[in-house]
């Protein structure tokens, strides 16, 4: 419940509650990009077996079709910032919404496997753009006193998008009688699953016309009067608008545009702190978290669970993901980043090892005995819980805080690129690895979770309670 008294923000500024409803609407509209990020990333989970059957392809080819969207993600993330600085944050949101819409329609109505892959790339570019522009825009329009809480809307929207996609997939599968290639609306059900994303994509596009441009961009474009109007709307009419504009202009003049060359050290290529950021990004992916969101339905079916139940388990896993994310948001500033990361690593290592043990009992008929099946299901949910309450949130917090000001932007770009590459490696390799040895695959993921513990202990410093300036 919101207090009726104004809340003091940094430097004595106040965020006025009468404007909070408007600011929350703006933030929620921008966070629709995060919702689509999560939705589009995970919706493919329900279509994997349908695509395999439709085009009669092996695990290697299937993996490339699933993983190719991540190439688009890297392109979108790498270009969104520069495009936004040229044409504005809102225009980038509208471009992303258009790409999400085109990707949804094209993926639902592919002519062949090659154009399905192409539409997946378009969707990936939209994801990459949304992953950059959402947090940046929200930070620029949020009153200082509420910036942290409003900034969490993006991560919350991502995990909700993942959960909704799994719920929709489960509902559509049941509507098609449990057949992943059953007919629905004149299409195979997997096509409808991919096409449904057109609804939130259009909503995102429409909402982008209802929210204001970022004051920071407006000032950079010389539209100071317009910027003042937006600042009055989000921070209150009692704020000294001339002082706020002067403050933003001063901050923009002081900013150092970090470049790739700023990241280079004398001996190891990158500076040591950049390698730590890359390590955090890579470990976050090498524990196999995206297998849970891209392939879980296929995974459960491969050990004898019927399609309808496998889709339901994918949804319940997504709910656990939301719960873990909320836990992380509550405790990340209370107990610190490092303790959460270490707790998560230990929990993931144990749960992944239990999954590996359970999958080792897979019979020749492709099923699991009752005990091992139960252990596998529980361990899978526990794994996602420990990831979500730790590395799922903590890595992004670390990356936003750990780098010195002069290299922060460039270092973040390198670390994020490393994360997309590691994500692609896991996503592209899982089907073939699972065909080779499912239990062995989970042993590999468990080893990476275990190795992340000494990595954090030796190389990662706590950033809780420190200002960004204290990072150098």
């Amino acid at each position: 419940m919101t207090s009726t008294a104004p809340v003091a923000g940094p430097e004595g500024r106040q965020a006025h509650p009468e404007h909070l409803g408007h600011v929350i609407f703006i933030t929620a509209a921008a966070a629709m990009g995060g919702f689509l990020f999560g939705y589009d990333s995970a919706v493919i989970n329900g279509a994997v077996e349908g695509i395999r059957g439709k085009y009669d392809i092996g695990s290697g080819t299937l993996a490339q079709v699933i993983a190719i969207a991540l190439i688009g993600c890297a392109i979108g993330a790498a270009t969104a910032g520069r495009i936004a600085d040229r044409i504005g944050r809102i225009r980038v949101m509208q471009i992303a919404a258009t790409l999400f819409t085109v990707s949804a329609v094209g993926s639902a109505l592919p002519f062949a496997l090659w154009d399905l892959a192409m539409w997946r790339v378009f969707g990936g570019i939209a994801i990459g753009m949304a992953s950059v522009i959402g947090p940046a825009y929200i930070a620029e329009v949020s009153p200082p006193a509420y910036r942290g809480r409003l900034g969490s809307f993006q991560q919350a929207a991502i995990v909700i998008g993942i959960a909704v996609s799994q719920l929709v997939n489960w509902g559509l599968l049941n509507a098609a009688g449990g057949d992943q290639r059953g007919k629905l609306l004149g299409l195979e059900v997997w096509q409808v699953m991919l096409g449904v994303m057109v609804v939130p994509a259009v909503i995102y596009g429409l909402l982008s016309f209802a929210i204001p441009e970022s004051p920071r961009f407006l000032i950079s474009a010389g539209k100071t009067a317009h910027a003042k109007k937006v600042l009055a709307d989000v921070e209150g009419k009692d704020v000294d608008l001339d002082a706020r504009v002067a403050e933003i202009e001063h901050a923009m003049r002081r900013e150092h545009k970090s470049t790739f060359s700023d990241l280079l050290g004398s001996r190891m290529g990158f500076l040591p702190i950049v390698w730590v950021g890359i390590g955090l990004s890579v470990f976050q992916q090498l524990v196999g978290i995206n297998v849970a969101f891209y392939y879980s339905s296929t995974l459960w079916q491969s050990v004898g669970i019927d399609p309808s139940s496998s889709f339901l388990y994918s949804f319940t896993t997504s709910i656990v993901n939301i719960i873990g994310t909320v836990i992380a948001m509550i405790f990340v500033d209370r107990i610190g980043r490092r303790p959460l990361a270490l707790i998560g690593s230990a929990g993931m290592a144990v749960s992944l090892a239990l999954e590996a043990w359970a999958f080792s009992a897979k019979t020749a008929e492709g099923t699991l005995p009752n005990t091992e099946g139960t252990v596998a299901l529980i361990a899978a949910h526990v794994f996602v819980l420990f990831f979500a309450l730790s590395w799922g949130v903590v890595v992004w917090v670390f990356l936003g805080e750990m780098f010195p000001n002069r290299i922060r932007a460039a270092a973040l770009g390198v670390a994020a690129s490393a994360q997309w590459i590691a994500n692609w490696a896991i996503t592209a390799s899982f089907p073939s690895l699972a065909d080779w040895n499912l239990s062995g695959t989970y042993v590999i993921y468990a080893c990476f979770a275990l190795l992340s513990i000494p990595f954090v202990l030796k190389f990662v410093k706590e950033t809780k309670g420190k200002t960004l300036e204290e990072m150098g």
Side-chain angles (χ1 to χ4, degrees):
M1 188 172 178
T2 305
S3 168
T4 55
V7 179
E11 301 172 15
R13 288 195 299 271
Q14 294 178 328
H16 294 264
E18 66 267 20
H19 292 82
L20 272 186
H22 179 56
V23 175
I24 288 171
F25 169 76
I26 292 172
T27 304
M32 271 298 294
F35 177 90
L36 281 157
F37 177 162
Y39 194 101
D40 193 25
S41 296
V43 72
I44 194 68
N45 187 7
V48 171
E49 291 306 306
I51 293 170
R52 189 200 299 266
K54 170 74 172 178
Y55 296 105
D56 191 24
I57 53 177
S59 295
T61 303
L62 177 68
Q64 295 309 315
V65 174
I66 305 305
I68 198 169
L70 299 169
I71 305 299
C73 292
I75 295 170
T79 58
R82 291 187 180 182
I83 296 173
D85 284 340
R86 292 192 176 189
I87 65 175
R89 283 56 165 155
I90 298 298
R91 289 288 178 265
V92 172
M93 290 184 199
Q94 291 164 355
I95 292 170
T98 301
L99 288 171
F100 276 125
T101 304
V102 169
S103 173
V105 174
S107 298
L109 304 169
F111 300 107
L113 190 63
W114 69 266
D115 75 301
L116 173 60
M118 180 183 72
W119 301 124
R120 293 272 301 147
V121 172
F122 284 1
I125 294 172
I127 290 173
M129 286 184 158
S131 72
V132 170
I133 202 61
Y137 174 85
I138 291 169
E140 290 175 359
V141 300
S142 298
Y146 294 93
R147 185 171 294 137
R149 280 164 283 182
L150 293 173
S152 68
F153 274 41
Q154 175 80 356
Q155 181 63 25
I158 291 171
V159 295
I160 291 170
I162 292 171
V164 170
S165 72
Q166 302 311 302
L167 180 60
V168 169
N169 283 354
W170 178 65
L172 291 173
L173 181 72
N174 284 324
D179 182 359
Q180 287 176 270
R181 295 194 60 197
K183 293 293 184 179
L184 203 62
L185 303 176
L187 302 171
E188 292 190 8
V189 68
W190 66 268
Q191 295 175 271
V192 180
M193 290 174 183
L194 299 181
V196 165
M197 190 181 69
V198 75
V199 176
V202 169
I203 292 173
Y204 180 40
L206 293 174
L207 286 172
S208 71
F209 287 97
I211 58 178
E213 182 54 87
S214 155
R216 187 183 178 90
F217 171 75
L218 292 171
I219 290 170
S220 72
K223 301 178 180 180
T224 305
H226 191 178
K228 287 181 179 179
K229 182 179 182 303
V230 175
L231 286 167
D233 285 343
V234 299
E235 294 192 14
K237 292 181 174 59
D238 295 335
V239 171
D240 186 337
L241 298 177
D242 289 328
R244 283 291 288 120
V245 169
E247 181 184 20
I248 293 171
E249 288 177 333
H250 179 64
M252 290 169 66
R253 283 194 299 270
R254 288 182 58 196
E255 282 180 353
H256 169 72
K257 296 288 184 183
S258 54
T259 63
F260 186 79
S261 61
D262 293 329
L263 308 181
L264 301 179
S266 57
R267 289 180 300 170
M268 298 183 294
F270 290 124
L271 296 167
I273 190 67
V274 178
W275 282 116
V276 174
I278 291 170
L280 284 167
S281 288
V282 170
F283 270 118
Q284 187 196 51
Q285 297 301 315
L286 294 185
V287 295
I289 185 59
N290 280 310
V291 168
F293 298 122
Y294 297 163
Y295 295 114
S296 61
S297 294
T298 295
L299 172 65
W300 296 126
Q301 289 173 56
S302 75
V303 292
I305 293 174
D306 66 89
S308 182
S309 295
S310 73
F311 276 52
L312 178 62
Y313 296 143
S314 295
F315 171 63
T316 57
T317 300
S318 300
I319 297 299
V320 169
N321 188 34
I322 294 174
I323 294 169
T325 300
V326 171
I327 293 172
M329 290 164 64
I330 291 171
F331 287 105
V332 69
D333 284 324
R334 296 187 183 182
I335 69 172
R337 290 76 162 128
R338 276 180 98 235
L340 268 187
L342 293 169
I343 291 168
S345 293
M348 289 189 296
V350 171
S351 53
L352 286 166
L354 286 171
E355 282 192 82
W357 170 79
F359 290 138
S360 69
K362 184 177 178 181
T363 65
E365 292 76 31
T367 61
L368 291 179
N370 287 338
T371 300
E372 284 82 356
T374 302
V375 169
L377 280 171
I378 294 173
H381 286 74
V382 171
F383 163 63
V384 171
L385 177 65
F386 273 102
F387 176 86
L389 66 80
S390 60
W391 286 73
V393 170
V394 163
V395 167
W396 289 109
V397 175
F398 267 130
L399 294 180
E401 296 176 336
M402 65 188 288
F403 300 117
N405 282 331
R406 65 183 179 81
I407 66 166
R408 181 168 292 115
L412 258 169
V414 168
S417 297
Q419 192 169 120
W420 287 120
I421 292 168
N423 188 343
W424 173 83
I426 291 296
T427 304
S429 64
F430 176 74
S432 296
L433 284 172
D435 285 351
W436 160 69
N437 189 317
L438 183 57
S439 177
T441 301
Y442 273 82
V443 168
I444 294 171
Y445 299 155
C447 287
F448 280 121
L450 203 58
L451 287 171
S452 68
I453 295 174
F455 173 79
V456 170
L457 289 172
K458 184 171 177 60
F459 298 112
V460 180
K461 295 180 180 179
E462 180 61 76
T463 58
K464 174 192 170 187
K466 296 182 179 179
T467 66
L468 296 182
E469 288 68 34
E470 287 181 84
M471 305 302 164

